[in-house]
Amino acid sequence: MSTGLEALQQAFKQLRLSEVSMELPILMREAEQQSWTYHELLNHILSFELDKREDKNKAKRLKWAKFPYQKALDEYDMTEQNSLSERQMKQLKEMNWLEQQYNLILLGPPGVGKTHLAIGMGLEAIEQGYQVMFLPMGELMTILKTSEYTRRSQIALNRIKKSDLVIIDDLMYMAMDQREANQFFHLINHLYERSSIILTSNKSPDQWGELLGDEGIATAILDRLLHRVEVIQMDDESYRMKHRQSMFT
Ligand code: ADP
Ligand code: MG
């Protein structure tokens, strides 16, 4: 192997270390200027590649998550609400619950920040290396219904099943028929003890049964969802209403 810089770059590329391959001239120059030890040089080369890869992975995970918008937990004003203490918020951010496959259920009327919190949690999870998927309930049902026929839905379903965190937004705003309830059960059963689920809903779990139609399926779904769960009841005044803009002056 030739030891010229270009040959080295080519070798890195062949080994699929393309990021470092491009950066090599800069790294080598810096190594000389700063008199890096061999150890330091190797360390810089490897961490450069790893960091770049993680950046790319994060961007990919963010795209896959399909958030409708991005609002971070830091943008959630704790003084505007009484549902979560600072300590609880800190624990949520630490994501141990995700590591332990706990589910979160965010309940409350429209406008109190359920979706915002769910997205914020999803963003934090992606930041910490997890795979996340955000699904409005209607879209999830479409995916389940069409996954046998369309490749697009098949891919989406596989992604859901592989996610560490699945966010289902506005659960049960619509009633399901038997077949839909069945498919929903199969998904929850698959995710159970493998992933965490965040559910947002303006109906309490004791009302979910009637929306799911079948009593047996409803019980089976609730059983799994509620086995390891933290329920956050958000009953504050709607943030949206409180901060609404008026066209009258
Ligand atoms: P929900 O899903 O409960 O209907 P959203 O999460 O959509 O409510 O919140 C409605 C709007 O109010 C969003 O723009 C959200 O960012 C904002 N919001 C709600 N609660 C807060 C809060 N505590 N701090 C900052 N923004 C908030
Ligand atoms: Mg919402």
Side-chain angles (χ1 to χ4, degrees), residues 89-202:
M89 181 56 123
K90 195 163 159 262
Q91 284 188 356
L92 286 174
K93 274 189 198 168
E94 282 168 0
M95 297 282 149
N96 286 331
W97 56 276
L98 186 49
E99 207 47 59
Q100 297 164 17
Q101 282 95 38
Y102 262 85
N103 297 327
L104 290 182
I105 297 183
L106 309 178
L107 297 176
V112 292
K114 303 184 294 297
T115 301
H116 181 152
L117 263 189
I119 291 174
M121 232 91 81
L123 286 169
E124 185 65 36
I126 285 178
E127 197 58 43
Q128 295 190 25
Y130 295 102
Q131 195 162 313
V132 178
M133 192 124 178
F134 182 99
L135 297 147
M137 186 65 180
E139 194 170 326
L140 174 61
M141 291 324 294
T142 306
I143 290 170
L144 288 176
K145 256 190 270 186
T146 57
S147 64
E148 287 162 34
Y149 321 111
T150 75
R151 211 178 125 60
R152 216 180 113 92
S153 296
Q154 182 79 61
I155 291 170
L157 187 58
N158 285 339
R159 256 184 213 160
I160 297 171
K161 287 183 173 171
K162 275 196 307 194
S163 295
D164 304 298
L165 172 62
V166 179
I167 301 170
I168 304 175
D169 197 33
D170 270 332
L171 184 82
M172 311 298 173
Y173 76 89
M174 56 189 194
M176 290 184 212
D177 64 27
Q178 172 95 33
R179 198 176 117 84
E180 291 168 337
N182 238 313
Q183 284 169 324
F184 186 55
F185 167 71
H186 280 295
L187 178 64
I188 299 295
N189 196 40
H190 177 94
L191 296 175
Y192 176 61
E193 292 197 329
R194 209 170 300 182
S195 321
S196 284
I197 302 173
I198 297 181
L199 292 178
T200 77
S201 183
N202 53 23

Side-chain angles (χ1 to χ4, degrees), residues 69 71 73-81 106-119 169-170 200-202 234 236-241 243:
Y69 56 84
K71 271 198 186 171
L73 289 178
D74 290 342
E75 292 171 71
Y76 186 76
D77 188 345
M78 294 296 285
T79 62
E80 291 277 354
Q81 53 86 47
L106 309 178
L107 297 176
V112 292
K114 303 184 294 297
T115 301
H116 181 152
L117 263 189
I119 291 174
D169 197 33
D170 270 332
T200 77
S201 183
N202 53 23
M234 304 169 72
D236 307 294
E237 190 192 345
S238 164
Y239 183 94
R240 223 186 249 131
M241 284 303 280
H243 294 269

